[in-house]
């Protein structure tokens, strides 16, 4: 069977290890800049070195997950620049996210290749549009519309339609898809029919909203992000002098994540390149997961046809994941269908053996979340940093129950998708303070007694809210502290890597990182959707909610859509370096009908399942725990009396409605139902919790969350049986804090409570 770009398949190869090859995805935080061009090539494996040396003509790099593609292409650019073959200002490297572009700039800087442009398609196009607009059109470039949702809502209203938040998001996404596929409003219904696209509304109605939206933009002299690409394409097509100017500036192009290009982005790339062939593309058809935005792997798969003389290099040595994780990833793709599947890459792990993937089945979603949080806490206790753990789900609405569960378990977390690190207000304030202290030097009394760099940074940031201990609770205060703590850790690492570095050196490093958007790591378990996790990796990954209807998602109907869902799960699996857990629950809420089934994509891979088309079989390795609501492992199998009882539906104690929201289940009532909470009791419980948290040196929520305390203040339990059934209590906390809580509810004064270390770890 032919492979991508028309290349014949390589014969199977075993794991190759070479003493001089360094891991593709692990590097020193502050590596030394290579002294010579040849030193840039040190540590590359044979295929990566082949990429780095292929500096002329078209190059197609087929790179599997974890094979060091970013490493290969950044070393390629750096080697060309350091060897004098490429002029930095003539190189344009494009990718799809600001984070990926920032990482590329950071790596190039560490390799001594400054001056290379590494940008997203939109960023590169916007710079060109701003520069050439006065010459090509005249006047000022129209204002860029940062968010189009409000204008889409107004367009819908003019069409006499009111859209709720979800409908508004879907219609906005549909307009974006139409624009990147270069589909005008009049042609939209036909395009939907041709592509078998599942439109969120009647295509004729959507076309009307789309047309009205475009008219509103014209009336208000604004453009959106898709217009940036469309207008740049239009100028380069119509003005040959401008196109020649751009081609004179950029003579060498590198495109990362090439499987994700849309027809519009490909058109822009063609205009940039012109009739030249100094183009290097990197991608993996098996990681195409953005077709809803217009992405297609066809450009990657057809590259050899368009460029018959192209150099094609395959990267299959996986430096990220253990053989156990890679085996599962390969197994997922072995059942795939379609053109992308025909060109899949068989990964070969370069790491030592690790634990088998864990498969876990639970009776309901809250049980799945609680057990996942316990396993996360156990990993942290075993030495895995919180920042190296991720919980990944199919849709963002799944995050809430995990946020509650992690808070109850005393585990810090961060939601993926927040604003960029160096744009946060507290980071900008910290940078200003550090810059001022660097200028003042020893004249700043704040630095008295701070002998080393890290101590100086801690002293300065202590005026901005950093403390040696994190603040109690979560929210904005905790987020601010985490940002400052990331800067402190960065300073400590910087001093370790560069002994004798000064505060001025650190400020310069921060400025360079900010320019490159090369952010330090914020500690905390990551909660993210599978789409948001693309391009990232962690030591431990928990893939949750893996049921039919969620994976694949219910609206995936065609074979092509189903296969994209399989690739999405493949992306999730390949984010894990060492620990991998896959779980699902049989019902949404406690006591609900157990009607769910685990995802078909794991058939034949998880123990006890049957492969598609097979009559039997036990699947791959790993443990599975079925029906108990706890994941595999001796610690998790220790049942507690309360947990052994089958869960009944949680009903509102005011109106009797079955509750499914995690917060409402804690309160045991609907949010809108009237509260009969004893405010004085709630206040005493908050004061008691603060004392316990201080005594245990833990955040407040490690004792009880505020929702749990509210539920206690509403229920006013008088016995252990009444207290333990309140969500967020459980046997463990009943044993540690039950006597105090019951005494407070009875109006009694409590003593010191548990000794240091008696709380949750």
């Amino acid at each position: 069977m032919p492979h991508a770009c028309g290349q014949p398949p390589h014969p199977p190869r075993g794991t190759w290890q070479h003493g001089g090859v360094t891991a593709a995805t692990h590097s020193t935080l502050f590596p030394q800049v290579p002294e010579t061009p040849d030193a840039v090539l040190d540590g590359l494996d044979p295929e990566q070195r082949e990429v780095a040396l292929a500096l002329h003509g078209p190059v197609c790099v087929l790179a599997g997950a974890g094979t060091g593609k970013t490493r290969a292409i950044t070393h390629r650019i750096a080697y060309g620049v350091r060897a004098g073959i490429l002029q930095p200002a003539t190189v344009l490297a494009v990718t799809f996210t600001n984070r990926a572009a920032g990482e590329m700039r950071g790596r190039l800087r560490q390799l001594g290749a400054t001056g290379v442009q590494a940008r997203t398609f939109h960023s590169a196009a916007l710079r060109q549009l701003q520069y050439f607009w006065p010459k090509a059109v005249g006047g000022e470039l129209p204002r860029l519309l940062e968010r189009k949702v409000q204008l889409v809502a107004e367009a819908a209203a003019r069409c006499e339609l009111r859209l709720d938040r979800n409908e508004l998001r879907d219609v906005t996404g549909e307009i974006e898809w139409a624009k990147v596929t270069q589909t005008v409003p009049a042609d939209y219904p036909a395009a939907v029919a041709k592509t078998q696209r599942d439109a969120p509304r009647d295509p004729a109605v959507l076309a009307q909203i789309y047309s009205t939206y475009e008219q509103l933009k014209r009336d208000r002299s604004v453009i959106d992000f898709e217009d940036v690409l469309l207008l740049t394409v239009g100028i380069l097509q119509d003005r040959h002098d401008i196109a020649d100017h751009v081609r004179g500036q950029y003579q060498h192009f590198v495109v990362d994540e090439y499987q994700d290009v849309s027809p519009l982005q490909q058109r822009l790339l063609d205009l940039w390149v012109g009739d030249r062939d100094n183009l290097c593309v990197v991608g993996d058809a098996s990681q195409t997961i953005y077709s809803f935005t217009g992405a297609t792997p066809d450009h990657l798969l057809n590259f050899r046809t368009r460029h018959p003389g192209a150099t094609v290099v395959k990267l299959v040595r996986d430096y990220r994941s253990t053989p156990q994780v890679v085996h599962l990833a390969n197994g997922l793709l072995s059942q795939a269908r379609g053109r992308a599947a025909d060109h899949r890459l068989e990964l070969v792990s370069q790491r030592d053996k690790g634990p088998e993937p864990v498969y876990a089945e639970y009776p309901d979603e809250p049980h799945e979340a609680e057990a996942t949080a316990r396993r996360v806490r156990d990993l942290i206790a075993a030495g895995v940093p919180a920042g190296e753990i991720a919980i990944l789900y199919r849709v963002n609405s799944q995050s809430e129950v995990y946020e509650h569960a992690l808070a109850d378990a005393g585990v810090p977390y961060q939601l993926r998708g927040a604003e960029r690190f160096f744009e946060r207000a507290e980071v900008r304030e910290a940078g200003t303070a550090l810059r001022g202290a660097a200028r003042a030097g020893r004249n700043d009394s704040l630095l008295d007694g701070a002998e080393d760099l890290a101590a100086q940074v801690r002293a300065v940031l202590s005026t901005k809210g950093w403390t040696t201990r994190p603040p109690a609770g979560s929210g904005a205060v905790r987020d601010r502290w985490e940002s400052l703590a990331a800067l402190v850790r960065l300073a400590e690492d910087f001093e370790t890597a560069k002994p004798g570095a000064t505060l001025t050196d650190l400020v310069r490093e921060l400025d360079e990182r900010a320019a490159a958007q090369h952010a330090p790591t914020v500690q905390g378990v990551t909660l993210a959707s599978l789409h948001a996790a693309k391009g990232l990796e962690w030591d431990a990954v928990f893939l949750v909610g893996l049921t039919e209807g969620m994976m694949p998602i219910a609206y995936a109907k065609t074979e092509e859509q189903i296969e994209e869902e399989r690739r999405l799960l493949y992306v999730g699996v390949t984010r894990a370096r060492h620990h991998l857990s896959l779980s699902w629950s049989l019902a949404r809420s406690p006591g609900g009908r157990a009607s769910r089934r685990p995802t078909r994509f794991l058939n034949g891979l998880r123990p006890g399942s049957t492969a598609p088309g097979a009559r039997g079989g036990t699947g791959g390795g790993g443990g599975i725990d079925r029906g108990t609501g706890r994941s595999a492992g001796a610690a998790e199998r220790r049942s507690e009396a309360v947990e052994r009882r089958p869960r009944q539906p949680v009903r509102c104690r005011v109106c009797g409605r079955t509750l499914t929201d995690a917060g409402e289940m804690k309160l045991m009532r609907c949010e809108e139902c009237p509260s009969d909470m004893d405010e004085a009791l709630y206040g005493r419980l908050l004061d008691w919790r603060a004392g316990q948290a201080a005594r245990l040196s833990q955040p407040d929520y490690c004792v009880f969350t505020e929702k749990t305390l509210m539920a206690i203040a509403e229920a006013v339990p008088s016995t252990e049986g009444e207290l333990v059934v309140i969500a967020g209590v459980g046997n463990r906390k009943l044993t540690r804090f039950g006597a105090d809580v019951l005494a407070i509810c009875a109006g009694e004064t409590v003593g010191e409570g548990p000794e240091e270390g008696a709380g949750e770890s």
Side-chain angles (χ1 to χ4, degrees):
M1 181 179 296
H3 277 230
C5 300
Q7 288 293 287
H10 285 301
R13 39 176 134 185
T15 299
W16 175 86
Q17 295 287 358
H18 187 284
V21 175
T22 55
T25 55
H26 284 75
S27 62
T28 306
L29 188 59
F30 295 99
Q32 295 295 318
V33 174
E35 294 183 0
T36 65
D38 286 343
V40 172
L41 304 177
D42 290 347
L44 299 181
D45 70 26
E47 291 80 20
Q48 292 170 347
R49 180 180 285 257
E50 187 177 350
V51 172
L53 293 174
L55 291 169
H56 300 286
V59 179
C60 178
V61 182
L62 302 174
T67 57
K69 68 178 180 62
T70 305
R71 178 186 180 86
I73 58 175
T74 52
H75 280 68
R76 177 182 187 271
I77 295 170
Y79 176 74
V81 168
R82 298 287 301 276
I85 300 170
L86 306 177
Q87 296 303 310
T90 68
V91 180
L92 177 60
V94 288
T95 186
F96 287 82
T97 66
N98 287 313
R99 182 201 59 78
E103 180 185 359
M104 191 176 293
R105 288 192 294 269
R107 293 201 191 194
L108 288 170
R109 182 169 64 89
Q110 292 170 348
L111 292 169
T114 56
V116 173
Q117 293 291 308
R119 298 186 173 278
T120 65
F121 270 100
H122 284 89
S123 173
L126 181 59
R127 282 171 62 90
Q128 293 175 19
L129 196 60
Q130 290 169 329
Y131 184 81
F132 291 113
W133 184 269
K135 179 178 180 180
V137 181
E140 292 186 3
L141 179 69
R143 180 174 59 87
L144 182 62
L145 190 65
E146 293 288 343
R147 296 181 70 249
K148 59 173 69 71
V149 172
Q150 291 180 334
L151 209 58
V152 173
E154 185 176 341
R158 292 200 177 190
C159 297
E160 300 182 345
L161 288 171
R162 283 184 62 85
L163 305 178
D164 63 29
R165 183 184 302 174
N166 291 332
E167 289 176 316
L168 194 56
R169 180 197 63 213
D170 292 343
V171 170
T172 301
E174 203 65 11
I175 290 174
E176 291 173 350
W177 173 83
K179 298 186 74 166
V180 300
T181 56
Q182 303 173 82
T183 304
V184 297
D187 295 340
Y188 172 76
V192 169
K194 180 179 179 181
T195 59
Q196 296 183 291
R197 190 170 178 83
D198 188 14
R201 284 258 178 172
D202 178 81
V205 174
L206 269 169
Q208 186 181 6
I209 297 174
Y210 178 14
S211 178
T212 306
Y213 166 76
E214 291 297 314
Q215 185 60 51
L216 284 172
K217 286 200 291 99
R218 287 191 292 272
D219 292 344
R220 296 175 189 180
S221 296
V222 296
I223 59 175
D224 59 28
F225 278 102
E226 288 71 43
D227 291 329
V228 170
L229 301 184
L230 285 163
L231 290 169
T232 306
V233 164
I235 288 175
L236 294 178
Q237 283 181 161
D238 296 342
R239 293 290 300 266
H240 298 294
D241 56 329
I242 293 176
D244 289 341
H245 186 119
V246 172
R247 292 167 191 159
Q249 169 70 48
Y250 297 117
Q251 299 170 19
H252 197 97
F253 299 86
V254 178
V255 185
D256 194 12
E257 303 288 3
Y258 192 56
Q259 77 278 352
D260 289 334
V261 294
S262 68
L264 179 56
Q265 288 164 333
Q266 180 62 49
R267 181 64 187 135
L268 177 58
L269 179 63
D270 289 341
L271 288 165
W272 280 341
V273 175
D275 58 2
R276 298 164 299 172
D277 61 1
N278 282 329
L279 171 65
C280 173
V281 300
V282 189
D284 178 9
S286 296
Q287 296 187 67
T288 307
I289 59 173
Y290 293 109
S291 68
F292 61 91
T293 67
T296 170
D298 289 346
H299 305 297
L300 175 68
L301 299 177
N302 295 336
F303 190 84
R304 184 65 184 271
T305 302
R306 296 185 64 193
H307 303 275
T311 299
V312 179
V313 184
K314 295 181 181 179
L315 304 182
V316 297
R317 309 183 198 278
D318 188 326
Y319 298 93
R320 175 188 300 159
S321 304
T322 63
Q324 287 73 18
V325 173
V326 167
H327 176 73
L328 175 57
N330 286 336
L332 276 173
L333 291 188
S334 70
Q335 301 174 4
R337 301 176 180 179
R339 191 179 181 208
D342 292 341
H343 301 287
R344 64 182 176 268
L345 299 169
E346 187 83 7
L347 299 178
V348 181
S349 176
Q350 306 297 295
R351 295 195 58 184
D352 293 335
K353 289 183 178 180
E356 292 288 347
V358 172
Y359 301 85
E361 183 175 276
Y362 300 96
D364 52 68
E365 287 182 11
H367 224 144
E368 182 179 6
E370 291 162 10
T372 300
R374 287 197 299 270
R375 292 197 58 218
V376 167
R377 190 181 58 196
D378 291 344
L379 282 174
I380 295 173
V384 180
E388 289 294 347
I389 303 174
I391 298 174
L392 307 180
Y393 33 76
R394 177 60 180 84
V395 295
N396 286 321
S397 60
Q398 293 173 275
S399 74
E400 184 178 8
V401 67
Y402 291 92
E403 293 178 58
H404 285 293
L406 291 172
D408 283 346
V411 175
Y413 65 87
Q414 58 175 333
L415 285 168
R416 184 77 193 165
E419 64 182 322
R420 288 187 283 177
F421 183 82
F422 287 105
E423 293 175 2
R424 299 176 187 175
E426 63 270 20
V427 175
R428 291 199 302 269
E429 292 172 11
T432 300
L434 290 169
R435 195 170 290 106
R439 283 197 300 266
R442 287 302 174 181
N443 295 323
D444 191 337
S445 60
L446 193 63
L447 302 182
D448 290 348
E451 295 300 326
D452 56 35
L453 174 62
Q456 293 171 14
V457 171
R458 288 191 288 267
V460 173
L461 297 188
S462 65
T463 67
K464 299 298 176 183
W466 179 82
T467 57
T468 54
R469 269 185 25 212
S474 56
V477 174
R478 179 62 182 244
D479 290 343
R480 180 183 179 89
W481 183 90
E482 290 286 2
S483 297
L484 299 177
L487 291 174
V488 171
R489 287 192 298 271
L490 183 71
E492 293 168 347
D493 291 335
F494 187 69
E495 185 175 33
T496 300
K498 300 182 183 296
T502 65
L503 202 53
T504 300
D505 295 330
L506 178 65
V507 167
R508 188 181 302 113
E509 172 69 21
L510 289 175
D511 287 343
E512 291 177 355
R513 281 174 166 261
Q517 287 298 328
H518 186 199
T521 302
V522 177
Q523 286 301 315
V525 173
T526 298
L527 292 174
S529 70
L530 286 164
H531 282 101
K534 177 74 169 64
L536 303 174
E537 59 185 81
W538 296 270
D539 282 345
V541 170
F542 292 81
L543 302 176
V544 300
L546 300 180
T547 60
E548 288 288 312
M550 194 60 75
M551 177 57 66
I553 200 75
Y555 53 74
K557 304 293 186 184
T558 67
E559 179 177 296
E560 186 176 340
Q561 292 167 339
I562 295 293
E563 287 306 315
E564 181 150 339
E565 292 289 300
R566 187 195 306 275
R567 295 194 296 269
L568 188 57
L569 180 57
Y570 171 81
V571 166
V573 167
T574 54
R575 299 311 94 193
R577 297 191 192 109
H578 193 72
H579 302 279
L580 177 63
S581 174
L582 306 96
S583 64
W584 57 92
S585 53
L586 301 178
R588 178 181 179 186
S589 56
R593 190 163 63 91
S595 58
R596 291 175 169 178
R597 293 180 292 116
T599 174
R600 72 190 75 173
F601 299 144
L602 295 179
N603 289 346
L605 300 173
R606 61 181 176 85
S609 66
T610 303
R615 296 180 178 272
T618 59
I624 185 168
D625 190 9
R626 194 182 295 278
T628 65
R630 281 171 294 280
S631 54
E636 295 294 352
R637 287 195 294 269
R638 291 198 297 269
S639 60
E640 298 174 356
V642 174
E643 292 181 346
R644 281 200 301 266
R645 292 201 298 268
R647 289 193 175 203
Q648 299 300 315
V650 178
R651 300 188 184 278
C652 174
R653 53 191 171 78
V654 179
C655 69
R657 181 176 70 86
T658 299
L659 303 177
T660 57
D661 177 78
E664 291 183 339
M665 286 192 288
K666 279 187 178 294
L667 293 175
M668 299 180 71
R669 64 170 174 82
C670 306
E671 287 280 5
E672 60 270 18
C673 282
S675 168
D676 54 357
M677 182 175 70
D678 184 331
E679 295 286 351
L681 172 58
Y682 180 59
R684 292 197 302 275
L685 288 169
L686 284 174
D687 291 342
W688 167 83
R689 182 184 73 160
Q692 291 295 324
R695 198 167 292 116
L696 298 171
S697 299
Q698 293 179 346
D700 288 359
Y701 61 76
C702 290
V703 182
F704 286 115
T705 64
E706 291 182 5
K707 280 282 177 68
T708 299
L709 292 185
M710 290 174 65
I712 293 171
E714 291 184 357
V716 193
S718 59
T719 67
E720 288 190 350
E722 293 174 353
L723 176 59
V724 78
V725 296
I726 295 175
V729 179
N731 247 26
R732 189 180 296 110
K733 291 189 179 182
L734 177 70
T735 300
R736 292 171 178 162
F737 306 118
D740 275 10
V741 172
L742 291 173
I744 294 170
C745 290
E748 301 172 8
T749 302
V750 299
E752 288 297 303
E755 293 298 322
E756 182 83 26
E760 300 207 35
S761 61

